[in-house]
């Protein structure tokens, strides 16, 4: 097997925002780092909307995950500022707040319940009447029946984030290898590196598996070491707001529309992202039905969207773990660390995941806030819902 490089301190499999941010933070701590990905930032990180909305996307039963989500949201402004400094590029972070709105009376009841839940957990959100919602966002339909204003839920332009992370990695000395990993290499006791699709062997003291939906497709990964990460398809649209209509929307708008939910994310540069469908599917085909559903619901909330140019339709695969929470930490295979399964919150959880894994790589410890989300929770059978490991693979 050909070997062209000296061993790295850390080798990261997967160059999405999670892998790139880990590599950057580890390199800042003085480690030599290699990232391997044939197309860095082109998977779920490219498809995402970049909502940083732990309060408005709160789900029942996810109180423990909320702590992690809030921790990462709290880190974002400083993380983005440091990234901009390190890369010399904009990160696309926008502290704009979020307005969650309801269409009909049933949707309003759903949001009222969410508001009560948020209040029980001590989260800051304010109930607004229809008129108050439209005062904040004049393009909203008069049919909107009320809403919740969450001033601390923001956004980042995920595509600018990828570009900035790549630049910061390169400036920090990270080697970004644009090739496919053919195999995880292990010896009798531990992970020792990877073999690439051209036969090159890369060795490292520690390997980080940050391959999102591709996690379980990695040849050489011993069974049961990382839980099954399943693909959850999302279709998403990108529109452009012409200068004459700006700002159109000034903050994220989440909508509950006839029982379904969707969102509109307006960028400072005039892009308007509308997402996202959610299906337990493993393809990235954009369907007419998906586009119809998104435009139909967006039009109910913001009728003026039909005037805007539709510039892109896209589909990506969210990486979902058996309990839909991330998998971050040392695995049962010495030398192999997991940072995957971020499901709907990969962009949000980037700062906390990156710092935690960088700390694990350098000091061998993880911060308390990340400890509940290690891969060993599945091996112990306390979070897998009884599903065997490796039950679902991402083809
Ligand atoms: N976080 C939004 C989504 O997954 O659609």
């Amino acid at each position: 097997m050909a070997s062209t490089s000296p061993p790295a301190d850390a080798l990261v499999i997967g160059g999405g925002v999670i892998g790139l941010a880990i590599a950057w933070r580890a390199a800042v701590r003085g480690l030599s780092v290699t990232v391997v990905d044939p197309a860095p930032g082109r998977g779920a990180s490219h498809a995402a909307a970049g909502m940083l909305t732990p309060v408005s996307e709160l789900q029942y039963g996810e109180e423990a995950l909320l702590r992690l989500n809030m921790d990462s949201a709290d880190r974002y402004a400083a993380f983005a500022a440091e990234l901009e400094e390190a890369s010399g590029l904009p990160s696309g972070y926008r502290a704009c707040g979020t307005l969650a709105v309801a269409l009909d009376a049933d949707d309003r009841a759903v949001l009222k319940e969410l508001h009560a839940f948020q209040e029980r957990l001590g989260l800051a959100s304010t109930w607004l009447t229809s008129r108050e919602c439209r005062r904040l966002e004049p393009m909203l339909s008069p049919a909107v029946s009320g809403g919740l204003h969450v001033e601390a839920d923001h956004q980042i332009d995920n595509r600018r984030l990828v570009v900035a992370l790549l630049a910061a990695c390169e400036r920090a000395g990270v080697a970004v290898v644009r090739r496919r990993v053919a195999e995880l290499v292990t010896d009798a006791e531990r992970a020792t590196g990877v073999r690439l699709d051209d036969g090159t062997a890369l060795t490292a003291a520690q390997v980080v598996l940050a391959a999102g939906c591709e996690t379980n497709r990695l040849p050489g990964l011993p069974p049961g070491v990382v839980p099954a990460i399943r693909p959850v398809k999302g279709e998403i649209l990108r529109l452009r707001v012409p200068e004459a209509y700006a700002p159109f929307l000034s903050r994220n708008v989440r909508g509950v529309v006839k029982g379904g939910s969707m969102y509109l994310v307006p960028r400072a540069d005039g892009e308007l992202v509308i997402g996202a469908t959610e299906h337990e599917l493993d393809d990235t085909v954009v369907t007419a039905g998906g586009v119809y559903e998104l435009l139909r619901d967006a039009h109910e909330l913001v009728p003026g969207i039909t005037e805007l140019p539709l510039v892109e339709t896209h589909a990506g695969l969210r990486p979902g773990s058996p309990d839909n929470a991330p998998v971050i930490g040392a695995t049962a295979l010495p030398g192999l660390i997991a940072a995957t399964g971020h499901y709907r919150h990969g962009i949000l959880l980037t700062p906390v995941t990156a710092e935690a894994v960088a700390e694990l790589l350098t000091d061998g410890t993880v911060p308390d806030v990340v400890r509940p989300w290690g891969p060993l929770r599945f091996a112990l059978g306390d979070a897998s819902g009884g599903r065997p490991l490796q039950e679902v693979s991402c083809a």
Side-chain angles (χ1 to χ4, degrees):
M1 202 186 281
S3 181
T4 55
S5 327
D9 293 323
L11 185 147
V12 182
I13 302 172
V17 289
I18 298 290
L20 292 174
I22 289 169
W24 173 47
R25 299 316 298 166
V28 166
R29 287 170 178 250
L31 301 190
S32 60
V33 187
T34 300
V35 176
V36 184
D37 192 312
R42 294 296 300 185
S45 302
H46 187 72
M51 293 180 80
L52 309 176
T53 51
V55 177
S56 34
E57 292 203 308
L58 179 66
Q59 305 266 336
Y60 290 104
E62 292 193 349
E63 292 89 330
L65 184 57
L66 174 70
R67 187 168 166 242
L68 186 69
N69 290 346
M70 293 295 282
D71 182 291
S72 204
D74 289 346
R75 291 169 188 258
Y76 238 106
F79 175 84
E82 191 175 344
L83 178 62
E84 292 188 0
E85 177 73 32
S87 65
L89 294 170
S91 67
Y93 179 70
R94 190 176 188 199
C96 57
T98 296
L99 182 63
V101 296
L103 190 63
D104 62 25
D106 288 346
D107 300 330
R108 190 167 177 274
V110 169
L111 267 196
K112 280 275 186 191
E113 269 188 39
L114 176 63
H115 187 219
F117 186 40
Q118 290 165 338
E119 290 198 317
R120 282 200 298 282
L121 295 174
L123 301 169
S125 72
T126 308
W127 182 262
L128 301 182
T129 63
S130 171
R131 189 178 297 234
E132 288 166 334
C133 289
R134 280 182 287 126
R135 206 171 290 142
L136 281 186
E137 292 295 348
M139 295 306 289
L140 284 173
S141 163
V144 162
S145 63
L148 274 173
H149 189 204
V150 182
E151 289 190 55
D153 273 0
H154 303 313
Q155 63 159 289
I156 192 161
D157 183 332
N158 41 293
R159 294 180 177 181
R160 287 184 193 269
L161 176 63
V162 165
V163 174
L165 281 170
L166 268 169
C169 279
E170 277 160 14
R171 283 187 175 189
V174 173
V176 178
V177 177
R178 288 170 166 80
R179 292 215 73 94
R180 190 167 289 283
V181 171
E183 186 186 19
L184 176 72
V185 178
T186 57
D187 66 14
E189 288 167 6
R190 57 183 296 118
T192 58
V194 297
R195 187 173 54 79
L196 303 181
D197 56 0
D198 65 355
T200 305
L202 299 178
T203 54
Q206 301 186 80
V207 177
V208 179
L209 182 49
C213 190
E214 303 279 328
T215 295
N216 302 109
R217 295 181 69 191
L218 179 64
L221 182 67
V225 163
V226 181
I229 304 298
R230 71 188 198 285
V232 184
K233 177 179 174 179
E235 289 150 292
I236 194 158
L237 313 177
R238 282 173 160 80
L239 286 67
R240 179 140 298 280
V241 177
E243 286 272 318
Y245 297 170
F248 199 75
L249 295 175
S250 303
R251 53 185 59 69
N252 304 329
V253 173
R254 275 195 67 81
V256 184
V257 182
K258 296 177 182 159
S261 67
M262 48 82 61
Y263 47 79
L264 300 99
V265 183
R267 305 279 189 232
D269 67 3
E271 183 177 76
L272 178 64
V273 183
I274 301 180
T277 62
E278 192 161 352
H279 298 286
E280 298 277 339
L281 290 174
D282 187 14
D283 69 73
T284 51
V285 176
V286 178
T287 62
V291 175
Y292 167 72
E293 196 183 299
L294 292 169
L295 289 178
R296 179 198 62 202
D297 291 354
H299 178 254
E300 294 270 19
L301 298 177
V302 187
I305 61 133
T306 51
E307 302 297 320
L308 306 181
L310 172 62
V311 293
E312 184 186 312
T313 61
H314 192 79
L317 300 174
R318 305 173 182 90
S321 76
D323 62 4
N324 289 339
V327 182
I328 309 166
T331 69
L333 177 66
L336 183 71
I337 293 167
T340 186
H342 290 75
Y343 189 39
R344 295 176 55 92
H345 300 303
I347 307 294
L348 170 63
L349 290 173
T350 293
V352 73
T353 304
E355 217 49 65
V357 175
E359 189 172 323
L360 184 55
L361 287 165
T362 46
D363 306 341
T365 57
V366 287
D368 284 347
V369 71
V370 168
R371 206 159 290 145
W373 309 110
L376 300 182
R377 73 184 189 272
F378 298 100
L380 295 172
D382 60 357
S384 62
R387 299 169 77 195
L389 302 183
Q390 310 286 339
E391 179 188 291
V392 185
S393 72
C394 172

